[in-house]
Each structure stands twice: as structure tokens, then as C-alpha cells.
Amino acid sequence: MSTPIPGFHAVVPAGGAGTRLWPLSRAARPKFLLDLTGSGRTLLQATVDRLVPLTGADGVLVVTGERHAAAVAAQVPGLDGEAGRLLAEPSPRDSMAAVGLAAAVLQQRHGDDVVLGSFAADHVISGTEAFEGAVREGVAAARAGFVATIGITASGPSTAFGYIRAGAPLGVDDAPSAQHVQGFTEKPDEETAAAYLATGEYRWNAGMFIVRVGVLLDHLAAQLPALASGLREIAAAWDTAARGEVLGRLWPGLTKIAIDHAIAEPVAAAGGVAVVPGEFAWDDVGDFASLARLVPAGPDGVTLGDADDVVRLAASGSFVAPAGGRSVTVIGLPEAVVVDTPDAVLVTTRSCAQDVKSAVDAWRAGGRDDLL
Amino acid sequence: MSTPIPGFHAVVPAGGAGTRLWPLSRAARPKFLLDLTGSGRTLLQATVDRLVPLTGADGVLVVTGERHAAAVAAQVPGLDGEAGRLLAEPSPRDSMAAVGLAAAVLQQRHGDDVVLGSFAADHVISGTEAFEGAVREGVAAARAGFVATIGITASGPSTAFGYIRAGAPLGVDDAPSAQHVQGFTEKPDEETAAAYLATGEYRWNAGMFIVRVGVLLDHLAAQLPALASGLREIAAAWDTAARGEVLGRLWPGLTKIAIDHAIAEPVAAAGGVAVVPGEFAWDDVGDFASLARLVPAGPDGVTLGDADDVVRLAASGSFVAPAGGRSVTVIGLPEAVVVDTPDAVLVTTRSCAQDVKSAVDAWRAGGRDDLL
């Protein structure tokens, strides 16, 4: 399975703060730079590890903010410098600018026909074979001119994810399970999610896009011409001495929009998007409840870190991250989430996991930027 | 009210680990050395502050273990050295040896007729006037030959304290509210405690004893003659160069017994114990549930420390002690108890407060003596 796909390049947008995973995830050291599951690899490294067999050693680009470029380069050797596969954004302009920049740079370097696959740096996937198979079908659909996405087979009526609605078979030879996309939905309530799954037509939207760079940039030119031309001008200067000047002049004015809204939704409405089923386990690790499901459970709970640093009494199932070099003791709280770091301790429950963002807001409002 | 009582000396046994208040209370820095209520004074200092108006400046003795002698001397200036009011025990031999040693030393220095009042170093009391009034009546009962105790008016059917059952009026002029003690009880279950209170005869046993030193030592000689003679021999050598030799020879063999069992119970059975009602607020601060009631509550919970270090969301009423220099965030756990210290974090609930001791046992069993 793991022969690289000729002409396939992976783009990994490495952004997003992961605020609901605070205090593990911080502005200066966000989610994608962390080994959140205790696997020994950070989410970014695991993402690159997963893609290299499909792209070959030199086929992965990472797009990240300037403040994280050094950390990314340290975690993924061989990206930066001469290699030119670490694209640093002067400021965050959302996912369309990030993926569009990568597409325009790839077009400059390799022409219109290379296929780009975009995969977030901070998701967790297991099931290598199924992932690779889905990407290969996605590339085939992309070569046929579609914007391909991978729709994850839902394990339940999650309200944390958006959904993709599949329609008729695509009819592309090397993408036998691909279907046309009828549309995308926002995160639904639980009843709606259950109704979606009952139809058999809906899959989770993991935000993965696979498309020929020429096709992507043409769609972008049609939908958002100013953004497209700005990105083309930046890309033309990227591998030259003019990069800094052009970036400084054009980047701040680029339209800030998610690729879903900029491309996926309007192009799907016009019949140009395909979905390939992804029969692998996927999670965007959106909060501690999600993370607690991903870390292997010990006999009395889930420990992200050294189990010798934790004592639990009547607290089976609690999630504890002893990441501050201290001992953690939990008594009588089986649903507890306890995260200890050198400067911040978080105590909550799995059911309150989404509220962590509000707590971070409260610290910010209190002027405690040192904790963010 | 605050004229010192002639011939009255206070003895403060400063021992006990306060294990249920771990990780605030540690073997090396136990409960009595801590400012547990945020008052600005440690429990030991507050105890001494409360007694000095009754004894005069030189009337308080503290008995503590050798390992804590330096900390006690630092917290209560003027006790040690020439003053001779800091008695250091080579090893813990329970409360009878501690109070008996102080009694025997006072007898050596001042004779049989001085009155000794024993008050634990780690209790919290509020209501100075009522406390002083009770002690004055206790001293009057002691001068009449009784072992006097103070029975706290119960605020509810606590199962955390022992009870004193009062009987007929004592009939001592300067102790008009004193009564004979019919007996002492162990900590009851809740039904029994409620039944006690319904009779109107029961009060909480705060372990306070007021007695003439001659009377105490005579009772001790009658009940435990070997312990009495050992203490007398040690006391005779205390203020001499022979102290070390005599202590080293006799201390390890002294009977280890609580003063309640050694004196209070048998003497009460013989009609020799009196109780004075204590109409003040008292607590032995036995666990975090108890401590949480004693620390003044803020608008959204009880914080022992700097409220600026705590963010609570849906956690009103939670008890948080940010004592590790870190921020503490609590979400969705209104009954939480969170104690943060430099090397240990404890997360539990008020209703599990008694189980903290088991967690400490678990760390000990795991070889983590550094945390004890």
C-alpha cells in the first residue's frame, strides 16, 4: 500500500489554539505541537508520519504561523531552509489563505496538475491502511477534476462535528467508493445528528480536501478573485528575494475565510465535490472528553503521563494529566478531569469539557495573559 | 475580662499530623504550624494569643516533638532558651505524657497549687469573651479539687467529636455554671448524636482540661504509678544538666496513652470531673469539610489564599487552596475541594474529606515518603 502517489503533495495547516485543551494547549505551544495521547509523537509529527508514505519523503508542506515556525522545524526535520516546505504566515488569515498559499506555491514549483491533499495538524487517526486507501481514491477523484473530501464513517450521532451528505456514485474508475457530495452541514443537535445517520447518507466532515492545484486555484479565482490573485502574486515571489516585501504588502489584506465556506460549499452546490468514505477512526481532539477517549485507559482511569504520579480513590475513570511534575490525588470524583501543569491546574468533569474555553476567557479578562 | 488569672499556667500540646488536611499539613510542617484559616496567624500562634491574656506573658508552655521545636520557637518568640517554656519531647508518647511532663515541670518550678489548663495547638475558636469566661470558671472548679473540662455547646449532631455528659450542678461559688461529669463518649453515629442532643445533657468534648498540678499528678500516680514516677524524675532533672541523660533513659519507656483514657474517664467515674459550658464556636479542623466552614466565603466559593489565583465556573461553594503559586481553575464542581501545593495536588469533594487519610496511606505504601 505504501508506495508514494506520483505528483501528490500533502499540505498540513498547523494552526488553531486548541483552547478547550488548556492548560495543556497554550498560545505559545498549541495542541498540534503536543503529544496529547502519550504516543511519543506530537499530533503534528503523527500527521506528517501518516502522510510521508503517500507523498514520499519530500512531499509534505506545513503552513504555520511565524511564531510557531521554529517549533515546527524542530519537530519535523528537513522542512525548512533550502527544502522550502515550511511556509510561515505573518498572521493568521484562516484556512483558505493557508491552503491557497500552499496550492499557489506548489503550482509555481510543479505546475497545475499536481494534486494537493490538505490534512489538519491536530487530528488523531488510527487505521493506516484505511486512511491510505481513502486518500488514494481521493487523489483519483481529484485527477478527474473534483474537489475530493474524505467522509468519516460516524461511530455515533456526534454534535461536535459537521456532516457531509453523500449522493450518487461518482463513477470514476480508480475511486470506486467515491460519491457526489450533496452538501455540507454545520454541527447539528443530537436529534438532527441521529436523523442524519438514520438515512445512511451522512458522514463526519474531517476537513480533509484533495484537489488538483489548478482546479483549486481556478475555483478560488471564480469565488474570491482578489484572494486568488493575491496568493498567486505572493507565490510568485515566494522562492525569491522579494518574498518578504510582497508578503508584507499583500498578506494583511487577504480575505479571512475558511476553505469550507470559500470553496467546499459553493463548489458542492455546483456538483464539483466528491466524498470518499473513510473507514478509519478519526477525532479532532476538540476537548478533554474527546482526549480521554483517545488515551489508553489504565486499571483505574486514564492517565496522560506517569501513572506513578497519580493516586485515585473512588475515582475510576477519571482523566488525569500530571504534566507539572507534581503528584495528583483524586478522591471520590469518577468523572473528574484534572490537568496539572507548571503554572495552571484545571479541575473539571468530562461533561463540562466544552466550558474550558470560557475559563480561558475568564483568565484573559482578568489580565492573566501569562496563562493563555 | 482580660486580667491574667494568678497561678494559672496554660499548656499547649503541639502534636498530631493533621493527615486529613494533607497536602497542606505535612509530617515536617503539621497543621498547628499552619495559618489554615487565612487569619494571618498559625493555629499555634492563635492558640497562644488566646491564652496569654489569661496566663500573663510568661504563663504559656508548649510541648512539642524535637523535630518541631525550632519551628515552634520561631513562631512563638520568648518560649525557648532561658524562658524554659518550650518542652521538646524526644519522641511522641501521646497526650498523657505530654501534659503530665508539663504538669510535673510546673510542680517543680511553682509547687502543687498552680492550676494548669491544657489546650490543643490545632483547634480554632472564636468568641474570646465566652472562652475566657469558661476558662475562669474551669480554674475555679480546679481550685476546688476537680479536673475541669469545657463542654462545647453543640451546633448540631456531629459524628466527628466525642461528647461529655453533664450531671448535677457542681456547687462551686466561682463556677456557677459548672456541672459534674457523668461520663465521656466516643464519636457517635448520627442517630446517637441526635439522641444525645435531645436530652440536653451532652456537649462536645474539645479535650480541654483545667486542673491543679498536684491533683493531676496525684490522679496519675493512682492510675498509672510508673508513668507518674517517670515524669516526676524527668521533671526533677529538667532544669538541670542531667535532663538529657534522664530523658534518654526514661522517656522511651513511658506509657503511651491519651489523657482522656488515663485520667478523664476513670476520674469522671469516681465523681472527680467537672464540666463548664463553652458557649463559643470551636472546631478541631479535622478535615477539609471542616476547614471549608471556617474560612470566610467569597462571592463564589471559599478560597484559602489569593482569590486572584482562582477561576470558578459553575463551581460556587467549592473550596480552593491555591498554595502552590499556580492558577487554579474549577469548572462544574460546586462541591469540589482543590488543594494545590508545590509538590502535590489534591482534588476531592467535601463529602469525601475524611478519605484524604487513605490517599496519604496510598502514597506511603507507594514509597513516596517525600510527599508525606
Side-chain angles (χ1 to χ4, degrees), chain B:
Chain B
M1 286 292 282
S2 288
T3 319
I5 303 166
F8 176 58
H9 295 258
V11 172
V12 177
T19 306
R20 288 186 183 81
L21 294 172
W22 180 92
L24 290 183
S25 180
R26 306 287 182 106
R29 197 163 180 78
K31 188 180 157 191
F32 61 85
L33 291 174
L34 306 175
D35 172 13
L36 278 180
T37 62
S39 68
R41 300 289 278 170
T42 68
L43 296 187
L44 170 66
Q45 289 173 322
T47 301
V48 172
D49 292 348
R50 191 183 303 128
L51 293 166
V52 163
L54 294 166
T55 63
D58 300 329
V60 178
L61 275 84
V62 176
V63 188
T64 196
E66 277 176 1
R67 75 180 296 192
H68 301 306
V72 167
Q75 290 200 357
V76 187
L79 280 185
D80 63 339
E82 289 288 300
R85 295 186 290 112
L86 176 54
L87 312 188
E89 304 170 300
S91 61
R93 307 297 306 167
D94 215 330
S95 58
M96 187 66 251
V99 177
L101 171 66
V105 167
L106 286 170
Q107 187 191 42
Q108 280 289 324
R109 294 177 183 168
H110 307 289
D112 270 347
D113 287 338
V114 296
V115 174
L116 165 162
S118 170
F119 305 91
D122 57 2
H123 294 176
V124 168
I125 284 171
S126 62
T128 306
E129 205 168 317
F131 174 74
E132 294 188 5
V135 172
R136 285 170 200 278
E137 286 207 51
V139 171
R143 292 205 199 283
F146 291 93
V147 176
T149 185
I150 296 176
I152 312 296
T153 304
S155 60
S158 173
T159 59
F161 309 132
Y163 286 73
I164 303 168
R165 187 177 181 193
L170 197 65
V172 168
D173 275 356
D174 292 336
S177 57
Q179 294 168 274
H180 288 279
V181 167
Q182 297 192 59
F184 295 90
T185 73
E186 301 284 328
K187 297 175 186 180
D189 60 30
E190 194 159 341
E191 197 182 351
T192 306
Y196 285 169
L197 296 189
T199 66
E201 295 177 351
Y202 288 81
R203 295 175 163 273
W204 288 340
N205 180 3
M208 300 169 180
F209 295 104
I210 304 171
V211 59
R212 279 215 325 263
V213 297
V215 170
L216 179 71
L217 293 169
D218 287 350
H219 282 309
L220 188 61
Q223 303 287 337
L224 293 154
L227 178 55
S229 74
L231 289 171
R232 280 185 210 266
E233 189 174 345
I234 293 168
W238 194 267
D239 292 327
T240 75
R243 184 203 298 175
E245 181 275 320
V246 175
L247 256 186
R249 179 163 47 84
L250 295 179
W251 189 263
L254 297 183
T255 308
K256 212 167 174 174
I257 186 171
I259 189 169
D260 310 74
H261 303 316
I263 300 281
E265 292 164 9
V267 174
V273 180
V275 59
V276 172
E279 306 284 353
F280 48 86
W282 165 87
D283 204 296
D284 71 352
V285 208
D287 61 29
F288 284 112
S290 162
L291 180 57
R293 288 190 300 267
L294 294 170
V295 177
D300 61 351
V302 182
T303 304
L304 179 58
D306 189 342
D308 287 347
D309 288 337
V310 183
V311 159
R312 289 177 177 87
L313 297 175
S316 294
S318 58
F319 172 85
V320 179
R326 269 178 296 285
S327 70
V328 177
T329 305
V330 185
I331 307 173
L333 287 164
E335 286 296 303
V337 168
V338 180
V339 179
D340 183 46
T341 71
D343 61 349
V345 184
L346 169 71
V347 178
T348 185
T349 65
R350 294 192 187 203
S351 58
C352 292
Q354 287 281 311
D355 301 329
V356 171
K357 190 172 186 303
S358 304
V360 176
D361 292 342
W363 286 114
R364 185 182 291 110
R368 292 296 299 272
D369 289 358
D370 59 305
L371 297 174
L372 306 183

